[in-house]
Amino acid sequence: MTQTSPPLRLAILGAGARGAETYGRWLLRHPDRGRVVAVADPLRARRDQLADSAGLAPGDRFDDWRPLLAAADRLHLDAVVVALPDREHVAPTLAAAELGLVVLLEKPAAVTPVDLETLADGARRLKARIGVGHVLRFTPFWQTVHAVVSSGAIGGLVTALIEENIGFWHFAHSYVRGNWRRADLSSPMVLAKTCHDLDLIRWLAGSPPKTVTSVGSLSYFTAQNAPPGAPGRCLDGCPHAESCPFFAPRFYLDHLADVDRWPVSALGSDTSSEGRLESLRVGPYGRCVFHSDNDVADHQQTVLEFPAGLTATLSVSAFTGENTRTVRLTGTAGEIAGHLDSGNITVELFGPLAQLPDLPRASVLRETARPPLGHRVIELSAVAPPAAAFRGDAGGYVLGHAGGDDALMDAFVSSVRDAESQQAFSASLEESLDSHRMAFAAERSRLEGRVVRWDETVQG
Ligand SMILES: NC(=O)c1ccc[n+]([C@@H]2O[C@H](COP(=O)([O-])OP(=O)(O)OC[C@H]3O[C@@H](n4cnc5c(N)ncnc54)[C@H](O)[C@@H]3O)[C@@H](O)[C@H]2O)c1
C-alpha cells in the first residue's frame, strides 16, 4: 500500500474473541491502514460493541454474514475477516471470494476433509486471495527459527519436536467447558488446537509428509475421574472447591476478576461479578470438568515422516502449567532449541565455518563454545515488540500469540493491495490446507490405530 492509499474497507464476520477483540481491535488501533465498515453477528451486544467503537451506522450492522455480503457493493468492501465458529468457515469464504474480496480466514479453514477440498477447489477456481489465521508463522520467534532452518545453517533437518503445552486452565476453559469441547460441534483437538503446530512443521519441512501416526485420548476429564460427591456444577456445593485446580469460580471470579476480555468474555456480555456468577450458575463455564459433555482428546502425540527423511513429533498435552510452545530441531550440521513465550532460541553450529543468516527479528544474547570440540553455541532472543504483545491485561499471561496476531493482521492488510505479498499469502494457503490434511490424517490414525499414508488423506 502506498502512503497515499486510503484505508482499506473491511467487514468483520463474527464479532467474538477473534473478530472483535483481536482483528477488530487491531483495525481500531490502525485507522490509517484499515477501517471496520460493517459487522455481522447474531449476538446484538457483541455486534454493537464493535460497531459502536467503529462508529457504524445501523444499516452497516448485520445479524448474519449473508446479508452483509449481499451488501458488499454498497459497502465498497476490499476485504473480509471470517472469524465465525469453526463450522461456518467454508461457505462465507467462498461467497466472499466469488465477490472478488480478499479474505482473512480464521483457522481451522474447514472441519472435514470434504469441506477442506471444497474450499481448496473453490479457491483455485476463483484464484481467491485467502490468508489463513496461522498466526504463529508471523511471530518473531518462528520467523527466526524458520530463517535459520531455511538458510541451511543446521544442515538438512533430521528430527523436529514441537511441544504444545496447552495449560491446564486453558484446556478446561476451551476444550472441556467451552466451544471446542466436542468434535461434532467444532472439530477434533488435533485440528482445532494443533493445526498451528502442524502448519509450522509443514513450513519447516518444505513438503507434505509421507505418513502420519498418532495416539492419544481423553484420559482425565471424564465422569469416572470425578472426585466423590462432585456435583454437576462448581457452585452446587462442591465439597472439593478448595482443592480442585479447575474450580470455576476461582478462575473467573477471583484470578480473572480484573479481566473482561477473553477468556472471561466467553461467559457472556455481562462481565460484572453478578453476570459472571449467573453465567457460572447456568452456563457451560460453570460445569464440573468431570461432568461436562466433552469428548476431545486431552493429550495426543503425532509422528510424521517426510520424503526427505525428516521425522517430526508433535506432542500436545492439557496438563501443563505454561501455555506455550517449545521446539527442538536437529539437523545434520546443527541444532535449534527454543521456547516461544520467552523468545529464547539456542542454535548450535557443528561446523567450524558455519554462519547464521541475517536474523532481523532476533538479537544475539551471547555466544559460547561447547567442549570438547568448541563448536559454536549462539543464544538468541526473538521477542514480540511490547506494543504487539498485549501483555498484562489478563493477570500476566500473554494474549496475542506472542505477537503473531498483530503481525498477521499487519501482513494481511499490507497484502491486500500488494500483488507480491498476495502471492505469498496464496502460496501459504496451500501449505495451510496441508496442515489441516495432516490433522485429519492424525485423527484417522488415532481412531483407527494405524499408520495413515498421505495419499489416503488427500482422497479424504
Ligand atoms: N488463530 C487463532 O489462533 C485462533 C484462536 C482462537 C480461535 N480461533 C478461531 O477463530 C474462530 C472464532 O473464534 P472465537 O474465539 O472468536 O469464537 P467466538 O464464539 O467468540 O466468536 C464467533 C462469533 O461468531 C458469531 N456468529 C455465529 N454465527 C454467525 C453468523 N451466521 N453470522 C455472523 N456471526 C455469527 C457468534 O455469535 C460469535 O460472536 C473459530 O473458528 C476459532 O477456532 C483462532
Side-chain angles (χ1 to χ4, degrees), residues 1-352:
M1 193 164 96
T2 65
Q3 291 287 325
T4 52
S5 303
L8 293 177
R9 297 176 63 82
L10 289 102
I12 305 282
L13 314 187
R18 301 297 297 172
E21 295 181 33
T22 303
Y23 303 122
R25 192 176 276 242
W26 188 93
L27 289 165
L28 294 174
R29 292 200 328 262
H30 298 87
D32 53 321
R33 308 278 307 282
R35 300 257 162 88
V36 178
V37 298
V39 178
D41 200 300
L43 298 178
R44 187 180 194 120
R46 286 187 170 189
R47 180 170 78 231
D48 284 348
Q49 192 170 23
L50 177 58
D52 288 348
S53 308
L56 300 189
D60 300 337
R61 306 171 184 215
F62 300 83
D63 62 4
D64 186 81
W65 60 266
R66 293 168 190 82
L68 186 154
L69 288 184
D73 274 355
R74 172 179 69 75
L75 294 164
H76 299 292
L77 293 181
D78 295 302
V80 298
V81 175
V82 175
L84 297 158
D86 291 358
R87 291 185 170 257
E88 288 263 5
H89 284 187
V90 176
T93 299
L94 291 179
E98 290 274 3
L99 296 168
L101 300 173
V102 187
V103 183
L104 176 58
L105 168 60
E106 258 305 358
K107 49 63 49 179
V111 294
T112 65
V114 170
D115 282 358
L116 189 80
E117 298 313 327
T118 301
L119 177 66
D121 291 345
R124 275 182 226 115
R125 177 175 55 81
L126 296 164
K127 297 195 171 42
R129 296 179 295 158
I130 301 170
V132 177
H134 277 143
V135 292
L136 293 182
R137 275 186 181 229
F138 294 85
T139 59
F141 179 87
W142 288 108
Q143 293 257 323
T144 300
V145 169
H146 186 263
V148 175
V149 170
S150 56
S151 75
I154 66 161
L157 270 189
V158 179
T159 65
L161 169 63
I162 292 184
E163 285 181 296
E164 148 106 70
N165 310 285
I166 299 183
F168 70 99
W169 62 268
H170 184 195
F171 192 86
H173 173 81
S174 293
Y175 298 90
V176 180
R177 295 174 167 133
N179 291 347
W180 295 274
R181 69 190 184 277
R182 271 177 39 192
D184 66 334
L185 298 178
S186 57
S187 59
M189 185 272 286
V190 72
L191 177 70
K193 190 75 187 101
T194 68
C195 70
H196 283 301
D197 308 273
L198 293 167
D199 179 63
L200 294 169
I201 290 172
R202 168 69 180 83
W203 191 37
L204 292 167
S207 80
K210 273 197 316 191
T211 64
V212 181
T213 312
S214 191
V215 291
S217 63
L218 170 60
S219 60
Y220 187 59
F221 298 104
T222 62
Q224 295 93 299
N225 290 315
R233 292 184 165 277
C234 297
L235 284 170
D236 288 348
C238 181
H240 308 283
E242 294 287 317
S243 58
C244 177
F246 305 101
F247 184 60
R250 194 180 319 111
F251 281 31
Y252 302 107
L253 300 177
D254 299 345
H255 292 306
L256 298 175
D258 296 333
V259 175
D260 59 6
R261 296 177 52 194
W262 186 89
V264 175
S265 57
L267 271 61
S269 55
D270 181 358
T271 55
S272 67
S273 314
E274 298 72 35
R276 294 177 194 213
L277 256 180
E278 183 56 15
S279 171
L280 296 187
R281 271 193 211 102
V282 299
Y285 294 93
R287 286 193 284 216
C288 170
V289 290
F290 303 105
H291 291 305
S292 186
D293 59 349
N294 55 309
D295 64 10
V296 298
D298 55 24
H299 68 290
Q300 188 160 349
Q301 284 170 307
T302 301
V303 177
L304 306 107
E305 186 187 12
F306 288 84
L310 164 70
T311 50
T313 304
L314 170 60
S315 179
V316 52
S317 176
F319 307 99
T320 65
E322 279 192 302
N323 170 213
T324 193
R325 267 96 173 170
T326 55
V327 61
R328 185 175 193 85
L329 304 174
T330 65
T332 51
E335 186 178 345
I336 301 176
H339 181 284
L340 173 64
D341 280 351
S342 72
N344 292 334
I345 300 171
T346 302
V347 184
E348 306 211 14
L349 299 175
F350 304 158

